[in-house]
DNA sequence: GTGTGATCCACCCATATGGGTAATGGCGCA
DNA sequence: TGCGCCATTACCCATATGGGTGGATCACAC
């Protein structure tokens, strides 16, 4: 099949006038793209964008009032079919993860070229995620196990079962030991994880991928 | 600074002889790359690769004996400084996430061109992650909240606190309600989440990002 | 105007959990 | 050989938790 000359509509939310107008100009000039709107604040975007329903929204993070992440959260509810790409100077883990959790499908740094931005728009519109390799590494690393705080083999085993919601007796039976021993191991785990409840242990285990 | 003509050493673990030799040939032929070894099974790789210590390892998933994911887990321990790229025909979520959790920094499908593979090797060696936009979308989507099974606002609030390891009393005080009411909400949560312990609820909440 | 769901509260009861303390044997390392 | 860590078990006790049942108000929809 030969590529349909389908135009991708995109909108811009960016408080810096220069950047905003440059993006609008690029979207207007390049074949295959159309700029359906540009806004200087999240508040304006939230009231107007759901009407325009662009395919893709380019979003700055640092905005006056609602920041880009809050804005995306609100927009996602009203326009779940649209895709969002963060376009920001911030490259810290916090900003990246918060953006992705809020619903962004792409994350570009502002030194990206116009061509890269347009390519990113095309990518997310085709169902991909537009993240640069270094951002991707952050994301991928978050899947990998963190340094376990010296849990013994047995303790890891017990922790795994705690995470499954098993109780003393169930764990004891599975490991062929007494419930008292299970308690002893759990005490060890709590000490090493600096928690004192199952919920706390499960949270640490899942969040830090100790399991 | 002008690019150092530093050679990146790479190894291949792939049971199909044709594919393996093609990769070795590419790595040997192209400037800037050097092939330090090729193996047809995980078992062979695990004994020999830690000696060769290549910068990057290309790993098939479907191998006889240990699969590529198990193999990476073992290799990561012995050579934490090396990077791993999966090179596979499998594109299901399961394989992707298992690979990343095992320590892969890249994930390519086998229809990738030789140039793309070499580029991926360069990328991971420079500290990035080599994943295609469609794989990236899977990964990014995993950060985003799943459909909450009809938890009420109050129940979400309580669930959030359960995940923090708070107990009845602590939650009750924070929300200015009685512990009995907290119990009532927790019962509601357990029902909707199909669990019957805190640990189970916390697990569901964190794994499915309902919080 | 009746029903449904959210939110709030109370009481009973069996069991699970967390904390404290103590003891045994094995294993590796100094 | 002694010290430390691990795995194992035991016992006591206060509190937390989960399940069952029942009832109140309020809002919103049919």
């Amino acid at each position: 099949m030969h590529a349909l000359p389908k135009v991708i509509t995109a909108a811009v939310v960016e408080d810096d006038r220069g950047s905003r107008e440059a993006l609008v100009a690029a979207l207007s000039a390049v074949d295959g793209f159309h700029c359906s709107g540009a806004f200087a604040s999240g508040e304006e975007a939230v009231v107007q964008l759901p009407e325009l329903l662009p395919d893709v929204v380019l979003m700055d993070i640092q905005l006056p009032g609602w920041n880009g992440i809050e804005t995306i959260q609100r927009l996602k509810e009203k326009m779940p079919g649209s895709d969002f790409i963060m376009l920001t100077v911030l490259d810290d883990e916090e900003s990246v993860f918060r953006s992705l959790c809020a619903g962004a499908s792409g994350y570009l740094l502002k030194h990206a070229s116009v061509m890269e931005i347009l390519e990113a728009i095309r990518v997310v519109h085709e169902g991909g995620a537009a993240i640069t390799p270094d951002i991707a590494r952050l994301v991928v690393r978050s899947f990998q196990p963190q340094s376990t705080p010296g849990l013994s083999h047995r303790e890891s085993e017990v922790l795994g079962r705690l995470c499954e919601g098993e109780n003393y007796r169930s764990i004891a039976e599975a490991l062929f030991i007494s419930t008292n021993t299970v308690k002893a191991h759990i005490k060890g785990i709590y000490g090493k994880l600096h928690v004192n409840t199952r919920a706390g242990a499960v949270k640490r285990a899942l969040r830090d991928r100790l399991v």
Side-chain angles (χ1 to χ4, degrees), chain A:
Chain A
M1 65 186 181
H2 47 115
L4 298 178
K6 178 108 195 299
V7 168
I8 303 175
T9 59
V12 178
V13 185
E14 159 70 75
D15 61 321
D16 177 68
R17 181 166 175 167
S19 309
R20 186 173 66 245
E21 292 181 349
L23 285 169
V24 172
L27 287 169
S28 306
V30 178
D31 246 27
F33 295 92
H34 171 70
C35 181
S36 59
F39 307 92
S41 76
E43 288 84 345
E44 291 171 64
V46 166
V47 300
Q48 307 214 38
L49 270 183
E51 304 297 316
L52 301 171
L53 226 55
D55 296 319
V56 179
V57 179
L58 293 174
M59 176 78 61
D60 190 17
I61 290 186
Q62 292 168 303
L63 296 171
W66 294 341
N67 65 35
I69 294 172
E70 292 172 289
T71 304
I72 280 195
Q73 283 173 328
R74 291 169 212 263
L75 285 174
K76 255 287 171 188
E77 289 178 23
K78 294 168 191 274
M79 34 198 289
S82 297
D83 291 313
F84 298 85
I85 299 176
M86 305 312 290
L87 189 55
T88 173
V89 294
L90 304 175
D91 67 345
D92 59 298
E93 260 187 69
E94 187 73 4
S95 298
V96 172
F97 288 119
R98 280 197 190 290
S99 298
L100 298 183
C101 289
S105 303
Y107 196 103
L108 300 180
L109 298 180
K110 279 220 175 138
H111 57 56
S113 70
V114 168
M115 276 313 295
E116 287 170 328
I117 292 171
L118 295 181
E119 177 57 24
I121 292 174
R122 209 190 316 263
V123 161
V124 302
H125 188 242
E126 283 168 1
I131 49 179
T132 52
D134 45 324
I135 301 287
R137 187 63 169 252
L138 281 184
V139 172
V140 163
R141 189 152 37 215
S142 80
F143 280 88
Q144 294 163 11
Q146 311 297 304
S147 60
T148 302
L151 290 188
S152 71
H153 175 63
R154 207 52 159 173
E155 285 166 344
S156 296
E157 224 169 337
V158 172
L159 180 56
R161 292 179 180 274
L162 282 188
C163 291
E164 296 305 310
E166 295 189 39
N167 59 16
Y168 288 145
R169 200 180 36 226
S170 162
I171 298 175
E173 285 168 6
L175 302 184
F176 304 107
I177 55 182
S178 83
T179 57
N180 285 311
T181 306
V182 174
K183 282 188 67 166
H185 287 311
I186 292 180
K187 284 182 213 190
I189 294 169
Y190 288 177
K192 291 178 183 172
L193 261 46
H194 308 297
V195 299
N196 55 2
T197 64
R198 282 165 130 68
V202 171
K203 181 192 172 196
R204 283 268 283 135
L206 293 181
R207 192 172 52 76
D208 296 349
R209 296 178 196 275
L210 314 173
V211 280

